[in-house]
């Protein structure tokens, strides 16, 4: 049996915002003596159906357990979670994002999983590079539910038609600028070589790591200064002057990014999103490659797109831990979930699944296998306020993009906003 995104999409179920119960009653058990867990996550209808199938499988193998499930889109999910956490009514097991983990862990609302690793929760077969994303100091509060990394997707056919040099290991940002400018010259003005990446904090982070820095330190402090912001945005000005990137009016259209609209021939993205947009537009007529470099290495890291956490105040800790272990380590569960949360974190399950993948997911799995030796471990969770910083990074860059401010003038404004957001 092979697995493609289109197959997964056809199995989608209209469950958005729904609460589903697998013979469930209440979080502290029903009158029949069964133990009841509450499990919450965010995601698409596709992910909801597959996740519910895994829940049903767990309940079927554990007759004394009931699981009540709820899910929502990302923002409503965390809005509801904030209310539940404040009211002491958090789900027993919950999906956790990297930009919220430190905040909830430091508020003592998440269970420290460290004493249970290698015991109730087996970790021997999990990708070790993913674990720092769930760690605060020497304690673990989140288990990886999948693996992704960043990628440059590009239209190799158009690059070749433009006479542009195709990406290769060790290529540089100057190489990218030259190639993208050639493509723009060939197919412009309607098509640009590269979607403007310079307002996206994630890609700035990859560039920083190529030079031994990062967005944040392991203890949640800012990892860069004004000089790095100026240098990154000045690089963006150079790309714009070379006509290598999309013009502001195309970049600012957020309905869909330029690459799947075929308004650019290359774009940085998380590899977990490749099949959601680009495959539907290009089919197999595009390629994936690693980032260009500005120093040491490619600056990319392994990243769990989301993590599994257990509430500190759960009344059913043993069963919650058993469920967490099942979700990430059970082969049948792994076969059901497939690539719904990126590559499986369990390497044995990943190996089995990879042999069955087709189309875009095979492309992603092959790409990750190729770049894996160069990927850095996941960074530690960012501090509270990091989401605001990410938004301000884009907002202030917009002035640079439109020529309303120079990098030298815009960077101090960003640093001031960062100081306010992080409380530094």
């Amino acid at each position: 049996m092979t697995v493609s995104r289109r197959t997964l999409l056809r199995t989608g179920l209209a469950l958005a915002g729904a609460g589903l119960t697998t013979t469930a009653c209440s979080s502290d058990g029903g009158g029949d003596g069964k133990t009841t867990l509450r499990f919450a996550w965010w995601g698409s209808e596709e992910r909801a159906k597959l996740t519910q199938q895994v829940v049903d499988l767990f309940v079927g193998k554990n007759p004394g357990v009931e699981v009540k499930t709820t899910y929502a889109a990302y923002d409503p999910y965390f809005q509801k979670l904030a209310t539940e956490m404040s009211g002491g009514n958090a789900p027993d097991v919950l999906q956790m994002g990297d930009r919220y983990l430190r905040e909830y862990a430091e508020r003592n609302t998440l269970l420290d999983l460290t004493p249970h690793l290698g015991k109730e929760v087996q970790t021997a077969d999990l990708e070790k590079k993913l674990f720092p994303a769930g760690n605060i100091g020497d304690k673990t509060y989140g288990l990886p539910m999948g693996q992704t990394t960043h990628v440059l997707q590009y239209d190799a056919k158009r690059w070749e038609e433009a006479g542009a040099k195709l990406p290769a290991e060790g290529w540089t940002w100057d190489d990218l600028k030259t190639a993208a400018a050639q493509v723009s010259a060939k197919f412009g003005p309607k098509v640009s070589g590269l979607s403007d990446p310079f307002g996206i904090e994630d890609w700035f982070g990859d560039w920083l790591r190529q030079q031994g820095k990062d967005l944040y330190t392991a203890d949640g402090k800012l990892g860069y200064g004004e000089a790095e912001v100026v240098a990154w945005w000045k690089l963006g000005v150079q790309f714009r002057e070379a006509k290598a990137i999309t013009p502001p009016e195309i970049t600012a259209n957020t309905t869909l990014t330029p690459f799947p609209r075929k308004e650019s021939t290359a774009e940085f993205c998380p590899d977990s999103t490749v099949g959601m947009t680009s495959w539907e537009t290009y089919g197999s007529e595009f390629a994936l490659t690693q980032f260009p470099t500005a120093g040491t290495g490619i600056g990319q890291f392994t990243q769990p797109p989301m993590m599994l956490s257990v509430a500190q105040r759960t009344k059913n800790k043993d069963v919650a831990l058993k469920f967490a272990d099942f979700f990430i380590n059970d082969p049948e569960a792994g076969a059901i979930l497939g690539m719904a949360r990126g590559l499986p974190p369990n390497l044995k399950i990943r190996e089995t699944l990879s042999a069955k993948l087709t189309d875009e997911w095979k492309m992603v799995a092959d790409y990750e296998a190729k770049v894996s030796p160069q990927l850095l471990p996941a960074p530690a969770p960012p501090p509270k306020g990091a989401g605001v910083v990410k938004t301000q990074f884009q907002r202030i860059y917009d002035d640079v993009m439109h020529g309303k401010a120079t990098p030298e003038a815009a960077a101090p404004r960003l640093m001031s906003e960062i100081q306010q957001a992080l409380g530094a």
Side-chain angles (χ1 to χ4, degrees):
M1 177 182 177
T2 56
V3 182
S4 71
R5 171 165 286 274
R6 288 185 297 280
T7 300
L8 293 176
L9 285 173
R10 284 196 296 268
T11 66
L13 200 61
L15 302 170
L20 300 178
T21 306
T22 303
T23 56
C25 298
S26 64
S27 60
D28 57 353
D32 54 6
K34 289 187 176 181
T35 298
T36 301
L37 290 180
R38 290 174 55 220
F39 173 41
W41 73 90
W42 76 85
S44 64
E45 295 172 6
E46 168 195 332
R47 183 184 297 162
K49 185 180 190 308
L50 299 174
T51 301
Q52 187 63 43
Q53 288 177 17
V54 171
V55 171
D56 293 344
L57 180 66
F58 175 78
V59 169
K61 292 186 175 184
N62 295 272
V65 177
E66 304 168 326
V67 180
K68 183 176 182 179
T69 62
T70 58
Y71 88 99
Y74 183 87
D75 288 337
Y77 172 85
F78 279 103
Q79 291 165 4
K80 181 180 180 182
L81 184 63
T83 301
E84 292 176 326
M85 287 289 196
S86 298
N89 188 38
D92 299 277
V93 183
L94 57 149
Q95 195 168 279
M96 179 54 60
D98 63 342
R99 292 183 180 271
Y100 291 90
L101 187 139
R102 184 181 293 272
E103 176 184 355
Y104 283 120
E106 291 179 346
R107 285 166 52 185
N108 198 35
T109 56
L110 300 180
L111 181 69
D112 175 16
L113 301 171
T114 313
H116 310 288
L117 301 182
K119 298 174 183 176
E120 294 97 327
V121 179
Q122 294 300 308
T123 59
D125 295 328
L126 301 183
E127 171 56 68
K128 300 301 185 289
K129 287 183 179 181
L130 294 168
F131 273 86
N135 293 347
I136 305 293
D138 59 356
K139 296 181 178 180
T140 297
Y141 295 96
L143 300 168
M145 299 180 78
Q147 176 179 316
T148 66
T149 190
H150 298 156
V151 66
L152 178 69
Q153 50 186 347
Y154 69 102
D155 185 336
K157 182 179 178 181
R158 281 191 162 179
W159 279 44
E160 289 173 339
E161 291 176 1
K165 185 179 179 181
L166 297 182
E169 188 170 345
W171 71 316
T172 67
W173 288 92
D174 280 343
D175 293 332
L176 174 58
K177 181 178 66 175
T178 298
Q182 287 178 274
V183 175
S184 295
K186 173 71 172 178
F187 298 105
K190 292 186 177 180
V191 178
S192 301
L194 175 70
S195 301
D196 187 346
F198 294 99
I200 308 299
E201 186 201 41
D202 301 79
W203 318 144
F204 174 55
D206 291 307
W207 179 81
L208 283 173
R209 283 183 289 275
Q210 294 173 0
Q211 301 163 82
K213 297 181 182 293
D214 209 333
L215 293 174
Y216 299 99
T217 63
D219 58 353
K221 306 298 182 183
L222 192 68
Y224 61 91
E226 182 179 316
E228 286 76 31
V229 178
V230 171
W232 173 247
W233 284 348
K234 285 180 71 174
L235 183 62
V237 172
Q238 294 170 19
F239 270 67
R240 186 165 305 285
E241 290 175 345
K243 294 182 169 53
I245 53 178
T246 47
E249 62 272 16
I250 298 299
T251 306
N253 182 350
T254 57
T255 304
L256 195 63
T257 56
F259 184 73
R261 297 198 308 255
K262 289 198 169 184
E263 292 176 327
S264 79
T265 67
E267 187 170 283
F268 295 111
C269 70
D271 63 16
S272 58
T273 67
V274 165
M276 298 179 185
T277 53
S278 303
W279 186 267
E280 299 301 319
T281 302
Y282 288 90
S284 60
E285 296 178 355
F286 72 101
L288 306 180
T289 191
Q290 63 197 44
F291 275 41
T293 185
T296 302
I298 59 177
Q300 296 170 236
F301 55 87
T302 53
Q303 180 179 26
M306 61 279 299
M307 289 166 281
L308 200 60
S309 296
V310 175
Q312 169 67 30
R313 297 179 65 177
T314 179
K315 298 177 181 179
N316 300 301
K317 182 173 72 172
D318 290 345
V319 180
L321 291 168
K322 186 175 185 179
F323 177 77
D325 177 75
F326 180 88
F327 201 93
I328 60 178
N329 285 316
D330 184 83
E332 289 183 71
I336 291 170
L337 292 169
M339 297 281 282
R341 291 176 172 84
L343 288 171
N346 184 298
L347 297 177
K348 288 185 177 178
I349 294 174
R350 184 185 303 182
E351 182 179 5
T352 300
L353 177 67
S354 295
K356 302 176 182 179
L357 295 174
T358 63
D359 298 340
E360 70 275 28
W361 286 133
K362 184 179 188 316
M363 183 186 295
V364 169
D366 290 347
Y367 164 73
E368 287 235 14
K370 180 179 179 181
V371 300
S372 179
Q374 301 180 67
L375 296 179
L376 299 169
K384 182 181 179 181
V388 175
V389 173
K390 186 172 186 176
T391 300
Q392 293 300 327
F393 194 95
Q394 174 71 71
R395 183 183 68 81
I396 294 174
Y397 172 72
D398 283 352
D399 285 346
V400 178
M401 179 177 71
H402 285 95
K404 296 178 180 179
T406 65
E408 293 85 353
R413 289 169 49 204
L414 176 63
M415 300 310 294
S416 176
E417 294 286 352
I418 291 173
Q419 186 176 29
Q420 183 175 348
L422 301 184

